[in-house]
Structure formats: structure tokens, C-alpha cells
Amino acid sequence: MPRLLIADDHGLYRKGLRCALEAAIPDAEVTEADGFDGALARLEDSGAFDLVLLDLNMPGLVFPDSLREVRACYPRMRFAILSASDTRADMLASLAAGANGFISKLQMDEEIVAAVEDILSGRIYVTPLMVKATVSTQAWGEAGPARPAEPVADVDYGRLTPRQRDVLPLVARGLSNKEIARELKIAEATTKIHMAALLRVLGVRNRTEAAVRAQMLLTRGDHARSEPEFKRPS
């Protein structure tokens, strides 16, 4: 029985894809996550999945670095990128970061289902448009134009995901990944992924700079002003 995880912040698309996959693969067990934080939580709580489908542009995922990091933490799982984009650069970057497939949301339902079945069977999948563009297998090893880290002169607390906001005050206290993992009751490998994403969002190069910037954010009270907007019903 194949176990699949769909991580996408667009609820209608996520639920529609789940229905399509469950109808086409009757014995499939499909789990959902509404962002990268949720995907990491499902990976930690639910054990091994046969395939993890990650939306290219969802909260918490810094492409392609987050893909590379989660792939390194779960080397035996298969990962594929879902995207409304079908550019050659995004496809090459996905494959170079360790994705087992790149699926365009613009494809027909039956094509997406076939793509998932291909990846589950052990093959690498790219959209037919990429094949028509004669992308060679040698080129798959190239990262293509890298997306530069977004310069952050003044960090907006509201840009952080809920889990990054949990990590932020612990970083400000100078805690290690192991100590943060213990505080949040999550795996150390999961903490490393959250920490790497937080460094990029903060626009810093190391933990020392992250601690300083985190202290600045918390001191000026951005978290207090932003908190009500991000509260979710329990």
C-alpha cells in the first residue's frame, strides 16, 4: 500500500489532488499538509512515506535549499515538486536538489496521476514540455540559475512560519539544535531544516548573526503585533 504526502498551502488543489490519487490508486494512503512546517511534522510523526509531493511556492519552503535539506534527512524517501511553473530552470534546480520528479500543476489530471505512478515505480519524471525541450539527462545534474538569497534589510516577523516563530526565541537564547529539538519536542534533523530556513529568512550567515537579529526582532515587539493575525483555531 503506497503512502503519499501532499504538502500544498492551496486547500482546494491539495484536496482535489488527494481525491484524484485515491480514486486512481485505490490502495493508496494519502496524507495532507498545508505548508512546509506541516510536512516536516507529518514526516516526523507518521514515519516513512513512499512519495512526498511538495508545492514549489508554499510557506516555509525556501527553494531549492529546503528540498535539498529534507532530502538529506530522509534519503530513502522519494520526493517530487509540484508547481504552477514549468520552467526549465525550476525543473533543473529541483532535480539537482534531489527531487525524483517535477510535476506541473498545468498538466491534465490523468497526466499528474501517471506521473505519480511513474515516480512510485522508481522512475524520474519531468513534464512532457521539458522532454520536448530536449533536456538531456546530462543536464539534470546542473543546478541551473540559482535563486539568490533574498536580501533582508528589515525582517518582517509576519513572514515567518509558525514553527520558525517557535524557533526564533530559542535561537535568541543561543540554544543549540539539540537543545531546540528538546524544547520543542521534535527531532534534531527537523530542527536543522527549520534552522536553515530561518537563517535565510533572517538574511544572516550563521547562528551568531541569527541570534542577534532574533533578539532585535523580539525586543522591538514585532511578534506581539503580528501574533493575532496568525492564530489558528484549535
Side-chain angles (χ1 to χ4, degrees):
M1 177 177 69
R3 301 186 69 228
L4 293 85
L5 171 61
I6 303 170
D8 194 312
D9 59 319
H10 294 92
L12 285 176
Y13 181 84
R14 185 179 69 243
K15 295 180 186 303
L17 179 57
R18 177 177 184 170
C19 289
L21 291 174
E22 288 177 336
I25 312 172
D27 60 340
E29 179 184 327
V30 185
T31 302
E32 299 179 33
D34 62 2
F36 193 56
D37 284 359
L40 294 178
R42 298 292 186 278
L43 288 170
E44 188 171 333
D45 293 341
S46 302
F49 288 92
D50 297 290
L51 175 59
V52 179
L53 299 162
L54 299 173
D55 178 35
L56 180 69
N57 292 304
M58 65 178 166
L61 188 144
V62 182
F63 179 81
D65 302 285
S66 296
L67 171 61
R68 186 178 295 110
E69 287 148 6
V70 73
R71 188 75 176 80
C73 287
Y74 299 96
R76 296 188 179 182
M77 291 190 205
R78 302 183 71 77
F79 289 83
I81 287 293
L82 286 168
S83 177
S85 160
D86 56 5
T87 68
R88 182 176 186 271
D90 284 340
M91 185 273 292
L92 291 176
S94 297
L95 295 175
N100 301 100
F102 184 88
I103 302 170
S104 171
K105 292 183 177 181
L106 304 179
Q107 293 177 258
M108 302 292 289
D109 291 356
E110 57 269 21
E111 292 177 333
I112 294 176
V113 169
V116 167
E117 291 175 332
D118 270 0
I119 298 169
L120 284 172
S121 71
R123 290 190 285 270
I124 298 292
Y125 179 88
V126 294
T127 70
L129 289 175
M130 295 295 101
V131 175
K132 290 178 182 178
T134 65
V135 178
S136 66
T137 54
Q138 288 79 10
W140 290 4
E142 302 170 2
R147 297 189 176 190
E150 183 180 348
V152 182
D154 188 21
V155 178
D156 177 6
Y157 185 85
R159 295 179 62 231
L160 304 181
T161 68
R163 184 55 85 186
Q164 288 167 2
R165 292 198 290 275
D166 292 338
V167 172
L168 189 71
L170 304 180
V171 172
R173 287 165 50 191
L175 271 61
S176 67
N177 285 341
K178 182 176 292 186
E179 291 169 329
I180 292 173
R182 189 180 302 120
E183 287 274 341
L184 298 180
K185 295 180 173 58
I186 58 177
E188 187 175 353
T190 304
T191 302
K192 289 179 181 178
I193 298 172
H194 287 305
M195 188 65 204
L198 187 58
L199 290 177
R200 296 188 191 93
V201 174
L202 294 177
V204 298
R205 296 166 295 180
N206 53 53
R207 297 182 73 94
T208 301
E209 292 181 5
V212 172
R213 191 171 285 269
Q215 289 167 4
M216 291 173 58
L217 276 174
L218 296 170
T219 299
R220 74 187 191 190
D222 283 25
H223 60 296
R225 292 196 298 271
S226 300
E227 190 65 26
E229 183 180 349
F230 289 89
K231 283 187 177 178
R232 297 181 179 180
S234 57

